[in-house]
Amino acid sequence: LGVRIDSASSNITIKNLTVRGFKVGLMAVGVDSLSIQDSDFSYNFRQQLKSIREREDLSDWLSYHNNEADEWLRYGAGIYLKNCDFAIVRNTQATGGQNGLMLTRCNNGLFYNNRIQFNSGIGIGLYRSSDNRIMHNKLDWNVRGYSHGFYQRGQDSAGILCYEQSSRNIFAYNSATHSGDGFFLWAGQHTMEHGEGGCNENIIYKNDFSHAPTNGVEVTFSSNTIAYNRLEECRYGVWAGYSHHTLIHHNEIRNNEFGVAFEHGNSNRIESNLFAENEIGIQLWERKTQPADWGFSRHRDVSSRDYQILNNQFTQTKTPLKIKLSREVMIREN
């Protein structure tokens, strides 16, 4: 560790700090109202990739699905905050590492005007962290698993990661282009086992998630709002597997292979978006069977149903709507 701050402290302000060459640049645990300003946590740990230009190595794939015992630390971080409520991180940089700013069980924080770019894993990551504001950050080129003309996998890298019961956060005015996923949300293991909870009521507003090799926005097994974002030149503009009560409106979704895709979604509304130059505009479908080890599908009705597709504009899109094995779909004024 470069710097460690423990729970005996509160209301600490760190300014103009530079940390280089550590597995974790700064780690704080249980510090209330920590403020980090005008600092630089660049060029700390990152894994050596085994993939080469012509061939992907599957061992390079990342996994952030569990962090109950700080498993995320195996990937290092510029900043790692745990149980730090009301934190502020602003005007801070982390580049040339693997993970930038990682939050676990941190609530009511404010993270803005940071430059966390050109890392090989995650820009900003949240785990069991709610009611935060992540705004006006530059989170571009947090990517791995991409070789132009050979493979575009992303390997679960992302500009923003939102995992395991992280709810009611505001993600606004960020630039997270050219990242594995621009924004990557997964409800969490508890939801997968019990069918309850999720990463819900997050607002994803006026961000740029373009040029992702996989998904501009990926949101799964949860309920959220995706509004006024730019989603250009990704494989999927929005991938929303098993999402429910999700609102997607006023986004610019341009030049993707798929604009918006819902597998086994229900009670979702897709309204007033621009779909331009996509291969497929909106795709809805379900599979005939569910994985046997998913509690989510045992506890919930996951049939593809109850959609409203309203007031969208489709231009130069080869297949505006591709819908199968779905019911109760309202299509109006597009």
Side-chain angles (χ1 to χ4, degrees), residues 95-316:
T95 190
Q98 184 154 322
N99 293 338
L101 170 61
M102 307 302 280
L103 311 172
T104 183
R105 300 181 190 273
C106 296
N107 304 306
N108 298 292
L110 176 59
F111 309 96
Y112 70 103
N113 287 2
N114 301 291
R115 290 192 298 122
I116 305 174
Q117 301 171 294
F118 297 99
N119 299 291
S120 64
I122 302 298
I124 297 178
L126 290 77
Y127 187 92
R128 294 191 183 274
S129 296
S130 298
D131 301 298
N132 297 287
R133 289 172 290 164
I134 294 90
M135 304 172 68
H136 296 285
N137 300 287
K138 293 184 180 298
L139 306 169
D140 310 297
W141 295 96
N142 294 295
V143 63
R144 67 204 279 142
Y146 179 81
S147 179
H148 191 69
F150 291 94
Y151 53 88
Q152 55 179 80
R153 304 273 280 166
Q155 297 175 339
D156 282 356
S157 59
I160 299 172
L161 183 79
C162 183
Y163 264 28
E164 190 64 65
Q165 320 306 315
S166 294
S167 297
R168 300 177 305 280
N169 299 289
I170 297 173
F171 303 92
Y173 304 105
N174 302 287
S175 177
T177 68
H178 302 88
S179 295
D181 283 348
F183 182 92
F184 184 9
L185 178 148
W186 177 65
Q189 196 59 44
H190 178 83
T191 300
M192 296 303 298
E193 292 175 359
H194 304 287
E196 60 187 22
C199 291
N200 298 318
E201 300 179 59
N202 295 289
I203 297 174
I204 305 161
Y205 178 78
K206 280 201 172 182
N207 306 279
D208 189 349
F209 296 126
S210 298
H211 314 298
T214 49
N215 310 303
V217 171
E218 178 174 345
V219 286
T220 55
F221 303 96
S222 299
S223 171
N224 297 285
T225 297
I226 303 164
Y228 292 93
N229 301 283
R230 181 171 176 258
L231 306 163
E232 181 174 348
E233 201 184 33
C234 310
R235 181 152 192 255
Y236 289 88
V238 178
W239 168 266
Y242 293 81
S243 287
H244 56 91
H245 299 92
T246 289
L247 174 60
I248 300 175
H249 73 98
H250 287 93
N251 300 282
E252 183 177 340
I253 303 170
R254 184 183 295 274
N255 196 23
N256 305 286
E257 187 175 345
F258 303 87
V260 171
F262 277 91
E263 178 189 24
H264 287 277
N266 71 82
S267 306
N268 299 302
R269 187 179 181 106
I270 306 168
E271 182 175 9
S272 300
N273 301 282
L274 170 62
F275 293 88
E277 303 168 76
N278 303 285
E279 294 290 317
I280 296 173
I282 297 171
Q283 184 172 14
L284 314 177
W285 80 101
E286 68 178 34
R287 293 178 291 172
K288 294 182 179 179
T289 61
Q290 298 296 311
D293 58 342
W294 281 12
F296 187 88
S297 55
R298 291 198 304 271
H299 292 290
R300 303 176 68 109
D301 177 0
V302 296
S303 60
S304 181
R305 57 187 165 82
D306 300 319
Y307 284 93
Q308 297 181 61
I309 300 173
L310 310 172
N311 298 303
N312 301 284
Q313 180 180 344
F314 299 88
T315 179
Q316 294 180 272

Side-chain angles (χ1 to χ4, degrees), residues 3-26:
V3 177
R4 179 170 179 129
I5 308 170
D6 287 312
S7 57
S9 307
S10 62
N11 294 298
I12 290 177
T13 297
I14 295 172
K15 294 185 70 173
N16 301 312
L17 176 67
T18 299
V19 180
R20 297 271 195 277
F22 291 88
K23 186 71 175 282
V24 177
L26 182 148

